[in-house]
Amino acid sequence: MSKVAGDPERAINGLLSIAQLLEEPRLARLYTFVLREGDVTIDDIVAAVEIPRTTAYSDMGTLVDLGVMTRDEDQKTHTYSAVPITLTADLDGDEYTVTPTLIEAVGRSPHDQDLDLLLERYGLGKLAAALTYAIPYANGEMSERVAARELDLQQAFAIAVLHALRDVVQDMETVDPYFEDIRNARDQPPSAED
């Protein structure tokens, strides 16, 4: 992949890589695990993420091919490192930045009924919107009741989603180098759909 700044090929390949992480929770989970842990080996991955060794090798190969992971082959036991990624989309002035925190939320969805149901029923856009409310909620800047009301979901379900995303926010706040770029609903609420 070309490394020239402003290279359209690199930009589009990056967009597609992020899209694949957002569509495949297992890859998303693996990516953010390595981002949190730093340099890891396949043995580290198999032990912590509890996936079969062949799946770990295959998925890590996919992540390397996507350009979101690097593999150090200088030693007999290869180590992998995550490449911090970000993508900002601007649609008619409505801007949203995808960072590893949203990717972490997607990665947790198969293991969290509330996040899984949110994605299944309402889609990735609603998860991104919920994350914008989870940030001020997790930081004590917005009450649970207000954040849940603004999500326009059934109250109990919205609260359950906020609780799940609070854990994501707390786990990723110090790990995600682009955390400050995520829209915070306290500062800039998502715009209402027409």
Side-chain angles (χ1 to χ4, degrees), residues 4 8-9 21 25 45 47 55 68-69 85 92 107 130 150-151 155 163 169 172 190:
V4 177
E9 181 181 0
L21 289 176
I45 294 165
T55 302
V68 300
M69 195 73 56
I85 54 175
D92 298 326
E150 294 299 319
L151 286 177
Q155 186 80 6
H163 284 203
V169 167
M172 295 301 291

Side-chain angles (χ1 to χ4, degrees), residues 56-178:
Y57 273 112
S58 175
D59 287 353
M60 291 306 288
T62 299
L63 292 170
V64 168
D65 290 345
L66 289 173
V68 300
M69 195 73 56
T70 60
R71 177 177 38 232
D72 181 355
E73 299 176 0
D74 289 341
Q75 299 176 10
K76 183 178 180 185
T77 302
H78 300 161
T79 57
Y80 296 87
S81 301
V83 176
I85 54 175
T86 183
L87 172 71
T88 299
D90 185 333
L91 294 169
D92 298 326
D94 193 17
E95 187 176 282
Y96 185 81
T97 300
V98 176
T99 77
T101 301
L102 180 61
I103 294 167
E104 171 72 4
V106 169
R108 287 191 190 190
S109 65
H111 307 283
D112 185 291
Q113 290 178 321
D114 299 311
L115 295 179
D116 193 44
L117 184 60
L118 181 73
L119 280 171
E120 182 182 314
R121 284 196 181 161
Y122 301 98
L124 186 59
K126 186 59 109 175
L127 178 62
L131 185 58
T132 68
Y133 287 98
I135 290 170
Y137 165 64
N139 293 327
E141 300 168 348
M142 185 178 286
S143 73
E144 177 181 88
R145 188 175 58 81
V146 169
R149 181 189 68 222
E150 294 299 319
L151 286 177
D152 196 27
L153 298 168
Q154 192 273 335
Q155 186 80 6
F157 180 53
I159 290 170
V161 166
L162 285 169
H163 284 203
L165 289 175
R166 176 187 59 208
D167 294 341
V168 170
V169 167
Q170 290 171 342
D171 289 347
M172 295 301 291
E173 194 165 12
T174 60
V175 176
D176 182 348
Y178 307 107

Side-chain angles (χ1 to χ4, degrees), residues 17-84:
S17 296
I18 291 173
Q20 188 163 352
L21 289 176
L22 294 174
E23 289 177 359
E24 297 187 39
R26 191 176 76 214
L27 291 179
R29 180 175 178 226
L30 191 53
Y31 168 77
T32 56
F33 167 75
V34 177
L35 182 67
R36 278 192 312 277
E37 297 299 315
D39 293 344
V40 298
T41 65
I42 291 295
D43 289 338
D44 298 331
I45 294 165
V46 169
V49 183
E50 299 177 357
I51 59 175
R53 180 173 297 282
T54 55
T55 302
Y57 273 112
S58 175
D59 287 353
M60 291 306 288
T62 299
L63 292 170
V64 168
D65 290 345
L66 289 173
V68 300
M69 195 73 56
T70 60
R71 177 177 38 232
D72 181 355
E73 299 176 0
D74 289 341
Q75 299 176 10
K76 183 178 180 185
T77 302
H78 300 161
T79 57
Y80 296 87
S81 301
V83 176

